[in-house]
Structures are given as structure tokens and as C-alpha cells.
Amino acid sequence: MKHFCTVSDVGYSIKGLVMYKSLLDKVKEDFLLEYLCLDDPTYNRVKKLNYSNLVPIHINELCNTNQRLYHLRHNGDRLGYYYMLASYITNYLMENRNYDDIFYIDSDIFFYQDIKLFADEIKDKDICITRHLHVVPGSGAKEGEYNVGVVYFRNTDIGRKVLYWWRDCVLNCKDLQYNTCYDQGYLNGFIPMAGDRVHVMENLVYGAPWHWRLFGYDNYTKKDTLTHEGKEKILLYNHFSRMQVNFGNNSFDFDGNQFCHFTNGQEIYKIPIVRHFYDDYFHQLKWVNQNWG
């Protein structure tokens, strides 16, 4: 069985359920998604679905066991608090469930292929992360060289050590040389800690607003592949960061202009495949809102 976890508040809960639906549609193996819910509406929305492989965890469960987390929830920077929870929930589940391994997945991810492809590439490594393809290695970019969208840990001495270090640094503001872009900069510390036990995804690609300009799309409709750096690679998932949805007028905003410096304004949306990604995702959001809301 594969084990996944995610986190969101009510504002992202529909996206989180769409991510879950994409797992249902694509993952052939049995899996369990544990969903950290940051408020009562999210917890109730997830719980009422009553699916055996979708388990809500209320944030109170975590705060009741850690005074530092409780304090930051009520007194800290709200956005910083949200970002620390990816490492916290992943570590919490590793320690308390004793899983063989676990994937953390951002709630605004949507899978186009079985995540088994990712697992197959990891092989026997203890950790797996994904590169920011637009970042030049060693450039010191604020967002870091790696993305938190999907992060994998195996329940080994090395896997547990790095995961706990990540959680401890974010929770307690340690190793501040990595403290850029909230929790994300700390991924730069994984390889210095664990060396070749960390795998960086190579044979697959993921979409994101900061990646679209880097791909060729000619073979996607035939092979589910995008061309990147001269090689055809299967698109595993898309990261729908900053997509703003308005169900009332049946519209969405591409990226809130947040990433226009990566995409030459909004011109990238004119690429038919990219437009298809967003139109289809919006359809999925509407379906979940109507049927699972």
C-alpha cells in the first residue's frame, strides 16, 4: 500500500479533494491519503465523504501534542505556520504510523499518471525531491533549487533523520542559511546531509507556472510526454499554484499574474495543451464542488 499525506484549510479543500480524485483515477495500487485539516469546515468536508482510503486529521490532534505548534498556530505568522505543516505532518505520520515510506503531496497537485512511475524511479533511495527546472543550480535563488510539491521519505535511519531535521528546522527556526521561501529552502540541505541517498527526479517532469515556457508540447497528445532539454519525458503531474477560482461567474484566473515573469505575461495560456490543463482542472474543481462540497 502507498501512503500519502496533504494539508489545507477550507480555501484549498476543494483542490485537495481534486488531488485525491486524481489519485483515485490513476493509482492502481491500494493507497491511503491522510489529510491534515486546518479548520472545522475542511475536516467536516473530508470526513463526510467517508472513504476508507481518505482519512481526515484535525489540526487540534497535532497541536494537543506540541506546545510550540500550538503557540505558532495562535500567535505566529499565519502563512509561515501553514508552510511548516508539510514537514510536520509527514514526520508525525512517520513516527506514529511506522509506515515503510510516505509521500507528502501539496493539495493543489493534479496527477496525470500513476505515482508508481515516481516510486519506480526512486528505487532504493531514502529520499526523493523534484528540481525547480527554471532555477540555475548554485544560483542561490530565494525559492530554492527544489520544490515541496511532492517529497518522498523512506522509513530508514537516513530518511527519518532528514525528515526530522526538516521538521525541526521549520518548527524551531534552525539552520537559518536554508531559511528561504518558508520551508522550501531547507530542501537544499537534503543532499549535503544524505548525499547519494537522495534521488532528484530525472526521467519525469511536472508542470507548473514557472515551468511552462521550458517545455515543448508537440508529442503530448500522442505520448503524454513533454520535451525538456532535448528529451521526451512523461508528465507526471501539474502544480496549479495560485490558480484563483470563481464558481459564481464560472471563471478562473490563470495565476493571478504571480508568475508572469516566468511566462511572458499570460501568453503561455495560448498554448492549446496548457489551456487544456487549466480548463480540465477547472472542470474537476466544479465537479468536486457540486458533488463533494
Side-chain angles (χ1 to χ4, degrees):
M1 176 180 284
K2 287 184 169 58
H3 296 98
F4 309 128
C5 63
T6 195
V7 55
S8 88
D9 63 4
V10 67
Y12 264 59
S13 60
I14 291 178
K15 295 179 180 179
L17 291 177
V18 169
M19 184 270 286
Y20 167 68
K21 184 174 180 294
S22 75
L23 291 172
L24 283 177
D25 291 342
K26 296 300 181 181
V27 176
K28 297 180 176 62
E29 185 179 344
D30 289 341
F31 72 85
L32 179 67
L33 173 63
E34 297 191 68
Y35 198 126
L36 178 58
C37 305
L38 303 188
D39 45 49
D40 291 340
T42 304
Y43 181 83
N44 294 334
R45 172 176 276 169
V46 175
K47 186 177 178 60
K48 79 174 185 178
L49 291 177
N50 197 30
Y51 288 132
S52 61
N53 63 353
L54 177 64
V55 176
I57 301 172
H58 200 289
I59 185 62
N60 289 344
E61 179 180 333
L62 273 60
C63 287
N64 289 341
T65 62
N66 188 292
Q67 286 299 310
R68 171 71 174 164
L69 188 65
Y70 177 89
H71 172 79
L72 291 172
R73 179 187 181 189
H74 295 283
N75 301 287
D77 169 62
R78 181 171 174 266
L79 191 57
Y81 166 73
Y82 279 8
Y83 275 111
M84 77 172 52
L85 293 170
S87 58
Y88 197 97
I89 185 59
T90 309
N91 184 79
Y92 177 85
L93 294 173
M94 183 74 85
E95 288 186 344
N96 288 277
R97 308 288 198 267
N98 197 31
Y99 295 143
D100 291 336
D101 55 11
I102 191 167
F103 288 85
Y104 168 79
I105 304 171
D106 270 352
S107 58
D108 53 359
I109 297 285
F110 186 87
F111 287 93
Y112 299 105
Q113 308 290 336
D114 192 336
I115 201 170
K116 182 179 184 297
L117 296 177
F118 198 12
D120 289 346
E121 184 174 319
I122 294 166
K123 296 182 180 177
D124 67 341
K125 296 301 177 73
D126 298 283
I127 301 154
C128 189
I129 50 181
T130 59
R131 283 198 302 127
H132 274 139
L133 302 179
H134 67 289
V135 170
V136 176
S139 64
K142 181 180 179 180
E143 62 264 48
E145 294 185 22
Y146 308 99
N147 184 262
V148 172
V150 178
V151 188
Y152 168 86
F153 295 93
R154 195 183 302 276
N155 192 354
T156 60
D157 289 344
I158 293 174
R160 291 191 302 271
K161 176 183 176 181
V162 173
L163 175 54
Y164 182 82
W165 172 81
W166 184 29
R167 171 262 193 200
D168 189 43
C169 285
V170 177
L171 182 67
N172 296 305
C173 299
K174 296 181 177 179
D175 285 340
L176 297 182
Q177 70 270 28
Y178 296 114
N179 186 17
T180 63
C181 200
Y182 297 102
D183 62 337
Q184 191 157 259
Y186 285 101
L187 273 61
N188 285 3
F190 285 13
I191 293 176
M193 286 188 69
D196 64 3
R197 298 310 303 166
V198 180
H199 178 73
V200 181
M201 187 170 72
E202 298 175 349
N203 300 321
L204 305 164
V205 290
Y206 78 93
W210 48 89
H211 284 174
W212 294 315
R213 64 182 173 83
L214 303 176
F215 300 141
Y217 297 89
D218 291 345
N219 292 318
Y220 183 77
T221 55
K222 296 179 181 178
K223 302 180 181 179
D224 294 340
T225 62
L226 302 178
T227 303
H228 177 245
E229 296 180 339
K231 297 181 180 178
E232 286 190 25
K233 299 181 179 181
I234 292 175
L235 177 68
L236 180 61
Y237 61 87
N238 200 22
H239 195 160
F240 287 92
S241 181
R242 305 286 178 152
M243 180 176 172
Q244 304 298 318
V245 173
N246 187 325
F247 293 124
N249 63 12
N250 197 39
S251 68
F252 63 88
D253 183 73
F254 185 52
D255 64 7
N257 218 31
Q258 174 76 16
F259 303 110
C260 62
H261 55 300
F262 294 131
T263 60
N264 298 321
Q266 303 250 354
E267 292 299 307
I268 201 75
Y269 188 51
K270 295 181 180 178
I271 296 175
I273 294 300
V274 176
R275 184 179 183 90
H276 168 74
F277 295 154
Y278 274 78
D279 289 344
D280 178 67
Y281 186 65
F282 186 50
H283 173 78
Q284 299 287 341
L285 291 169
K286 289 192 293 184
W287 187 94
V288 165
N289 186 53
Q290 293 167 3
N291 293 277
W292 290 355

